[in-house]
Amino acid sequence: MPPDVRNRSLVFDFDGTLAYPKAPIGKDISDRFGLILSVGRTCMGIITSAPAKDLRKRIPSVLWTFASSDNLILLPDGGTSRIPEGHPSPEPPGPSASSVDSLTALAKSVARELGLPNPMRSMSGSQVLVSFTSETAAQQSREGQARDAYFLLAGRANLGVNVYRAGQRSVSVVADNWNKLRALEWLATRWGIALEDLTYMGDDFGPGGNDEPIRNSAAHVVSVETPQETFLHVDALMKEEDL
């Protein structure tokens, strides 16, 4: 059963918002969130394109203990699966096999043009994540160039997909009927509240960012640049709510 929500319900992006890339959530955020969740009057959600297997390593135990309840819902893989197992979650379709093949060929072409190795491609849930890599320091500066070029070309290819920037060197590709807004709407339904009662914090609301679909929704949107800024926003909100 969803908890009795009497205070704000908060939903977050992960990388760049709750944690620095490849790093775990910091102690200041995890301790503050653990305290908030222990009161039981505030729901929290995380919607991220990070693979589910990575989240378990990067979320401290003080928060992980709440993931078995509806007070903290984790939607990895862009909202296509849920930790822990056994809870219902959205089930969007992924891009078609032919689209994935075309997108892979396009990514290899971009990498070749910029003198980079073949890009890495991973599939999790309904998401295809294309990441450009480098083998030398000279190549490293071209990773972002490759990401931006691929983002533009893939978006114009009419392959029936949505394309979003995901980090400094990656592009997230999902079916055209799925994005973070759909996952946010699923959370609102799960908790039995209206979208306008949610606050969403993310770091990439600009054109092509994977938080962009939420920007013009009914949810209250907070744009942050670092996890420390997220902590300060949450701390201020919770002081308003006397938590």
Side-chain angles (χ1 to χ4, degrees):
M1 291 289 292
D4 180 13
V5 184
R6 291 175 233 159
N7 286 315
R8 292 181 192 269
S9 294
L10 306 174
V11 184
F12 304 88
D13 171 48
F14 193 78
D15 280 311
T17 301
L18 291 182
Y20 291 97
K22 299 183 179 179
I25 293 177
K27 190 175 186 304
D28 54 351
I29 290 181
S30 64
D31 286 353
R32 189 67 169 117
F33 282 16
L35 179 62
I36 293 168
L37 288 166
S38 68
V39 175
R41 291 184 293 156
T42 301
C43 292
M44 287 189 179
I46 298 173
I47 304 171
T48 174
S49 57
K53 63 180 181 180
D54 290 349
L55 286 187
R56 182 61 188 93
K57 301 173 185 176
R58 300 173 62 194
I59 294 178
S61 298
V62 68
L63 293 183
W64 193 260
T65 55
F66 292 98
S68 59
S69 74
D70 268 0
N71 286 78
L72 176 62
I73 294 181
L74 312 178
L75 295 177
D77 305 324
T80 65
S81 57
R82 170 165 179 183
I83 300 175
E85 298 281 340
H87 292 265
S89 61
E91 294 288 348
S96 67
S98 60
S99 293
V100 171
D101 290 343
S102 298
L103 290 163
T104 300
L106 182 59
K108 289 180 178 179
S109 174
V110 169
R112 189 165 53 247
E113 283 289 321
L114 290 171
L116 295 175
N118 278 339
M120 297 172 59
R121 188 193 80 183
S122 59
M123 299 184 69
S124 54
S126 67
Q127 173 190 233
V128 178
L129 191 68
V130 177
S131 301
F132 293 92
T133 62
S134 54
E135 296 173 335
T136 67
Q139 290 178 338
Q140 195 168 16
S141 63
R142 298 197 292 272
E143 291 176 352
Q145 242 183 301
R147 180 205 66 169
D148 291 342
Y150 179 69
F151 167 76
L152 290 173
L153 291 170
R156 295 171 181 166
N158 296 319
L159 294 172
V161 296
N162 281 333
V163 183
Y164 301 102
R165 294 184 179 93
Q168 299 301 311
R169 60 177 190 165
S170 301
V171 171
S172 171
V173 182
V174 295
D176 62 5
N177 63 344
W178 189 254
N179 53 44
K180 281 191 174 183
L181 178 56
R182 301 284 86 78
L184 192 68
E185 290 169 342
W186 182 88
L187 283 173
T189 300
R190 178 74 180 171
W191 289 329
I193 60 177
L195 202 58
E196 52 264 34
D197 294 326
L198 288 173
T199 294
Y200 180 84
M201 296 189 190
D203 67 331
D204 202 359
F205 291 98
N210 59 10
D211 298 318
E212 182 189 14
I214 296 174
R215 184 178 59 189
N216 296 319
S217 72
H220 178 61
V221 168
V222 178
S223 179
V224 298
E225 294 185 359
T226 66
Q228 182 60 25
E229 192 177 341
T230 301
F231 171 77
L232 294 174
H233 276 293
V234 172
D235 202 46
L237 284 172
M238 293 303 103
K239 283 176 181 176
E240 286 179 17
E241 303 289 355
D242 195 27
L243 284 176

